């Protein structure tokens, strides 16, 4: 009898938990969505085969041979030609701004070099991303006989100049990206539980009796963590510089401004989660739901260009994707925030919209 009674009690508790899980729509949604998202990200979006790397061409030869070479490179599908420039200086500026990853420079005497099997030209490559640099470096030697219809006496090659990371050290690319990932994790996690914690501790009752406005509450929740984010950025970048010898080529002021924009966007995203979640557990679950695509889709681990278009569209919605471009441009390529104005303005717009949404969702009442 005691065993039967015990089984009945276990059954009752089990049914109770199932009913509670059914009522908890957010947790139930996480149970379904997290494995689904993981499957899609790993099976569909993540692709280590680098394709469609954006490049520019500087064809100073204006010859049929130059057009043949360009066509031969396009056939590989490794690169995607975005623009043609007249000078190498313009191409290098485009690389610094992050608009393209490499430039193919063909000299004026290209036809003569091709006839004698000499070095045809030069690849100028953004070496800060080692996977992209390795993929383009494979194009240094090409079977041009398929395009020209002639078998060259020597195998023509291109020089490859790796900018910003000539030694191809992974740490140079990873450390700046880690700033984006770690700030995403900590900033969203801190603020996602902000309103929920007030509600669970009963402090929301005090706020009901005060004249504080929703927008004032949102801003008050954000401000303290801005300093925390700047401290984290300083620690990561300083250790990366002194331990892993990661260069800091850009101005510190530019770096601080870019980081502040990202911290504000991340904290705002955390506040939105905080107004949706009913408990700190739910807030943590939703934070994980954001962090996972941030790590996989932002360009931190895999080249952005290697992902299919739908995955790129999702990645463009994430603040980390835009900050990843900003911080790598400033730290590694010595760029300025003005060069990355699209990403900077996107972060500003996300922050303003997020604060508006969070303040509208927040109501000074006990749910």
């Amino acid at each position: 009898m005691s065993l039967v009674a015990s089984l009945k009690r276990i059954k009752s508790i089990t049914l109770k938990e199932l009913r509670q899980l059914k009522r908890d729509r957010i947790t139930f949604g996480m149970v379904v969505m997290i494995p689904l998202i993981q499957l899609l990200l790993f099976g569909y979006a993540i692709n280590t085969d680098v394709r469609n790397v954006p490049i520019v061409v500087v064809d100073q030869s204006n010859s049929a041979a130059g057009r043949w070479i360009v066509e031969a490179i396009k056939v590989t599908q490794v690169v995607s030609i975005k623009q043609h420039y007249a000078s190498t200086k313009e191409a290098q500026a485009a690389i610094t701004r992050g608009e393209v990853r490499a430039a193919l420079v063909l000299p004026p005497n290209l036809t003569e070099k091709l006839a004698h099997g000499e070095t045809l030209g030069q690849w100028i490559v953004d070496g800060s991303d080692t996977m992209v640099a390795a993929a383009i470096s494979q194009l240094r030697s090409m079977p041009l006989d398929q395009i020209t219809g002639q078998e060259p006496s020597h195998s023509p090659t291109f020089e490859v100049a790796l900018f910003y990371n000539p030694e191809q050290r992974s740490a140079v690319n990873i450390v700046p990206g880690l700033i984006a990932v770690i700030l995403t994790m900590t900033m969203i996690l801190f603020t996602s539980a902000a309103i929920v914690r007030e509600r669970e501790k009963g402090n929301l009752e005090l706020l009901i009796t005060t004249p504080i406005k929703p927008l004032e509450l949102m801003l008050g929740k954000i401000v303290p963590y801005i300093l925390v984010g700047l401290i984290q950025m300083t620690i990561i970048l300083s250790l990366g510089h002194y331990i892993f010898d990661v260069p800091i080529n850009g101005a510190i002021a530019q770096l601080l401004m870019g980081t502040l924009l990202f911290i504000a966007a991340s904290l705002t995203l955390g506040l939105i989660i905080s107004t949706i979640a009913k408990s700190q557990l739910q807030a943590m679950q939703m934070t994980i739901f954001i962090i996972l695509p941030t790590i996989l889709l932002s360009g931190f681990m895999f080249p952005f260009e290697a992902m299919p278009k739908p995955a790129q569209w999702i990645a463009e919605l994430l603040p980390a994707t835009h900050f990843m471009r900003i911080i790598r441009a400033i730290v590694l390529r010595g760029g300025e925030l003005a060069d990355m104005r699209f990403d900077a303005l996107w972060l500003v717009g996300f922050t303003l919209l997020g604060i508006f949404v969070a303040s509208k969702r927040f109501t000074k009442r006990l749910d």
Side-chain angles (χ1 to χ4, degrees), residues 195-251:
I195 304 299
V196 179
R197 185 168 55 247
E198 300 288 356
R199 183 183 295 112
E200 289 184 343
K201 290 184 177 181
N203 294 338
L204 200 60
E205 296 176 352
L206 299 178
L207 293 176
I208 294 175
T209 61
T210 66
I212 190 170
K213 298 178 181 179
L215 181 59
E216 295 169 345
L217 178 63
M218 298 298 108
L219 293 176
K221 291 292 183 180
I222 283 179
V223 171
Y225 297 111
I226 293 178
L227 179 61
V228 173
L230 292 176
I231 292 174
Q232 288 185 324
M233 183 272 292
T234 303
I235 292 174
I236 299 169
L237 202 56
S238 298
L239 292 178
H241 179 66
Y242 291 108
I243 296 178
F244 299 105
D245 197 27
V246 175
I248 304 177
N249 296 318

Side-chain angles (χ1 to χ4, degrees), residues 125-130 133-134 137 140 160-170 172-173 245-247 249 332-333:
V125 184
D126 176 8
S128 59
D129 192 321
T130 55
S137 295
R140 70 169 65 224
V160 177
L162 295 175
F163 282 24
Y164 315 119
N165 185 18
E167 298 176 354
Q168 289 291 275
R169 293 187 296 115
S170 298
V172 172
N173 187 54
D245 197 27
V246 175
N249 296 318
L332 303 181
R333 301 195 296 271

Side-chain angles (χ1 to χ4, degrees), residues 45 83 176 281 286 295 339-341 360:
Q83 188 62 273
L281 176 60
M286 297 176 70
I295 294 175
D339 298 330
M340 312 300 295
R341 51 185 168 272
K360 287 296 182 181

Side-chain angles (χ1 to χ4, degrees), residues 50 70 76 102-103 121 137 170 188 191 219 263 346 350 359-360:
V50 180
V70 171
T76 66
S137 295
S170 298
I188 296 179
T191 52
L219 293 176
I263 289 174
W346 193 95
F350 183 91
S359 62
K360 287 296 182 181

Side-chain angles (χ1 to χ4, degrees), residues 321-338:
T321 301
H322 300 274
F323 181 63
M324 198 79 66
R325 297 169 184 158
I326 290 174
I327 193 167
R328 283 174 173 167
I330 295 175
V331 173
L332 303 181
R333 301 195 296 271
E336 298 182 354
L337 201 58

